[in-house]
Amino acid sequence: MFLPIVIYVPSLAFNQVTGIDVHLIGSVVCFICIFYTVIGGLKAVVYSDTWQIIVMFISVIVLVILGTIAIGGPSVVWNRSGAGGRLIFNNFNLSMYERHTVYGVVTGGVIFWTAFNGVNQTMVQRYLSLPNEKESKKSVLMFTVGVSLFVSLCVYSGLLVFATYHKCDPMTAGRITQDDQLLPLYVMETVGHLRGVPGLFIAGVFGAALSSLSVVLNATSAVVLEDFVKGCLRISITEKNATHLVKIVILVLGAMSMGFVFVVERMGGVLVMATSLSAIAAGTTFGVFTLGMVIPWSSSIGAITGAVAGAALSGTISFGGQYSMASGNIVLHKLPVNVDLCEADYGITPNVTVINYPDESHIFALFRISYHWITPIGILTTVVVGAIVSLVTGKTDLARLDPELISPVVQFLLPPEAQRFAGTATSGIRNRLRNAENAALMQEVSSSINLGEVQGPSR
């Protein structure tokens, strides 16, 4: 469900600017991404990612600078946002049912991004493509700084949009039908008269979407090949057939993603939906890795059971909440907006209706939990259930456990005999990697020799 969201966002922005049908745009975006991902593989994904991220940053920076100049400076943005109640730094409510609190945003955000950077397949695949561990750590640092800067720019752009429409909310005035159309509307009305700026904005949005889509398609196809076909099914497959399989998986995933766009457009806000769905995988995956690193007696049965329990609980919270919002049983509480100058500025007399928020006390408690807590809950469930099941079904023999597989924080739980096996697991992995590298090198040398024999001596 994450991929359809990635397709839907730029399609909606392009639709707002040009009026072209969302589904037609989505089909074109999906086709382009599938094409270069299938043809170029990881190398094409990495190179395209680089340029797409550059364009994405440039578009947001240009938009923020021009918008700030147009409104009269950062002080105007800050003052109007403060007067409108958008600068909230002191909401320390401990309730997990409130959508945004300091505890929820900080705790959920830190854990989610730690899980994303640490164990997400799309990130791990990039780390492994680098020559050594030092470069991998450097890439994590660069990513962290880059994401922090980009998210800060996005937050400021949100304040910029509010400050611009602080006296006439476009949604209430009926000028747009979805909150996700706010930024495209702002671009067209504020800087749309500047030649090239709307195109730059669209390029930035599409760059972000194509980058995410291509990475996920490539990483997921690799998981299917390595973990399911070669791992679970233990099927021996030639390099040629493996390449064909990866391409088929990419095509199938792309087609499925395009089909689910129809579902995404009928659900809630994109940010909440994307974060909620991503949190299911993040919590479960990070929970399994945490279980293996901090619970020495954990076993494969415990890990599988914990993962299923974590995914089930996270999925219940996520999908249950989305269903409740789609059915109208839960209505997200929004901050107040102003429409005093709609008639003077736009000639619109908005039909202001008072939102009657329904009583949510009868809704199942898990469905009302804020999406920020989905990842922490998934991790905690996976670790606790996995640890208990491992104890009940037969824990791992700690005396024969490689200490390097366990976090140094909990290595004191291991018996002294375990030191005899220090490095045994990691050395086996290194040997397999070394053998694979040697085999690839020998194949390359053999190909070069055969090519030389075919070409014959130079004349």
Side-chain angles (χ1 to χ4, degrees):
M1 287 299 293
F2 176 75
L3 294 181
I5 297 172
V6 172
I7 299 172
Y8 176 69
V9 171
S11 303
L12 185 65
F14 199 79
N15 167 263
Q16 184 71 19
V17 174
T18 64
I20 300 176
D21 182 69
V22 170
H23 304 108
L24 176 61
I25 302 168
S27 301
V28 174
V29 171
C30 199
F31 173 78
I32 293 173
C33 185
I34 290 174
F35 176 77
Y36 76 74
T37 304
V38 167
I39 299 299
L42 180 60
K43 188 174 182 179
V45 170
V46 171
Y47 274 101
S48 60
D49 265 5
T50 303
W51 289 107
Q52 287 159 359
I53 290 172
I54 292 173
V55 173
M56 184 174 68
F57 262 97
I58 292 175
S59 64
V60 175
I61 292 172
V62 169
L63 176 63
V64 165
I65 292 175
L66 294 178
T68 303
I69 294 173
I71 203 172
S75 60
V76 177
V77 177
W78 186 264
N79 292 335
R80 290 182 181 179
S81 299
R86 263 55 184 180
L87 303 177
I88 304 173
F89 300 105
N90 59 348
N91 186 355
F92 293 98
N93 192 338
L94 294 175
S95 174
M96 297 175 68
Y97 298 135
E98 188 159 350
R99 189 181 181 196
H100 293 136
T101 65
V102 172
Y103 299 115
V105 172
V106 173
T107 304
V110 169
I111 293 178
F112 174 81
W113 282 106
T114 302
F116 183 82
N117 284 324
V119 300
N120 187 279
Q121 171 65 18
T122 60
M123 299 300 293
V124 173
Q125 187 180 40
R126 295 176 184 181
Y127 302 151
L128 295 177
S129 67
L130 295 172
N132 51 56
E133 184 179 346
K134 182 179 179 181
E135 294 298 318
S136 298
K137 291 180 178 179
K138 189 186 298 182
S139 70
V140 175
L141 177 61
M142 293 173 62
F143 177 82
T144 303
V145 174
V147 166
S148 301
L149 176 60
F150 188 75
V151 171
S152 300
L153 289 172
C154 290
V155 170
Y156 180 79
S157 66
L159 296 178
L160 194 58
V161 172
F162 173 79
T164 302
Y165 298 114
H166 73 295
K167 289 296 183 181
C168 182
D169 176 57
M171 187 76 173
T172 307
R175 304 181 62 211
I176 57 175
T177 57
Q178 300 180 54
D179 290 335
D180 302 319
Q181 296 173 322
L182 262 174
L183 190 57
L185 174 69
Y186 170 80
V187 170
M188 293 306 298
E189 292 193 340
T190 306
V191 295
H193 62 285
L194 300 175
R195 183 172 297 179
V197 176
L200 179 62
F201 167 73
I202 293 297
V205 175
F206 272 90
L210 289 170
S211 173
S212 301
L213 185 59
S214 61
V215 167
V216 174
L217 288 175
N218 189 270
T220 306
S221 61
V223 169
V224 171
L225 173 64
E226 297 295 335
D227 294 345
F228 287 94
V229 176
K230 294 183 179 180
C232 296
L233 302 179
R234 300 186 182 279
I235 297 176
S236 179
I237 186 171
T238 63
E239 191 69 26
K240 182 178 180 180
N241 290 335
T243 302
H244 290 325
L245 176 62
V246 167
K247 292 181 178 180
I248 291 172
V249 171
I250 292 174
L251 290 172
V252 172
L253 286 175
M256 291 175 60
S257 303
M258 190 58 243
F260 276 108
V261 170
F262 293 92
V263 178
V264 169
E265 65 179 343
R266 288 168 173 77
M267 298 176 73
V270 171
L271 175 62
V272 177
M273 183 168 40
T275 306
S276 299
L277 295 175
S278 300
I280 300 174
T284 304
T285 309
F286 194 67
V288 171
F289 276 87
T290 304
L291 174 69
M293 290 187 295
V294 302
I295 307 296
W297 64 84
S298 60
S299 63
S300 57
I301 296 177
I304 294 173
T305 308
V308 172
L313 184 56
S314 300
T316 300
I317 298 172
S318 179
F319 290 113
Q322 291 294 327
Y323 173 78
S324 299
M325 285 188 285
S327 60
N329 293 324
I330 293 179
V331 178
L332 296 179
H333 291 227
K334 297 184 178 181
L335 295 174
V337 294
N338 195 310
V339 292
D340 291 346
L341 296 183
C342 284
E343 187 169 359
D345 292 347
Y346 302 100
I348 299 174
T349 304
N351 183 19
V352 181
T353 57
V354 178
I355 301 177
N356 295 317
Y357 293 105
D359 180 18
E360 300 175 0
S361 59
H362 67 284
I363 305 295
F364 185 44
L366 292 178
F367 295 171
R368 293 184 282 132
I369 293 178
S370 169
Y371 65 96
H372 287 295
W373 293 104
I374 296 177
T375 301
I377 290 174
I379 295 172
L380 184 62
T381 303
T382 302
V383 173
V384 172
V385 173
I388 295 174
V389 171
S390 297
L391 278 175
V392 173
T393 59
K395 61 183 182 180
T396 301
D397 185 4
L398 301 186
R400 302 178 63 85
L401 184 64
D402 183 355
E404 291 188 8
L405 298 177
I406 305 299
S407 171
V409 179
V410 294
Q411 284 187 4
F412 69 92
L413 297 174
L414 300 178
E417 303 85 56
Q419 294 301 324
R420 293 181 302 167
F421 297 90
T424 54
T426 52
S427 63
I429 296 174
R430 293 192 188 98
N431 289 334
R432 286 197 295 272
L433 290 175
R434 192 179 298 111
N435 292 336
E437 291 174 356
N438 292 336
L441 180 61
M442 290 299 296
Q443 185 176 4
E444 184 178 346
V445 172
S446 177
S447 300
S448 300
I449 294 174
N450 292 336
L451 180 61
E453 292 176 351
V454 171
Q455 292 177 343
S458 59
R459 298 182 182 276

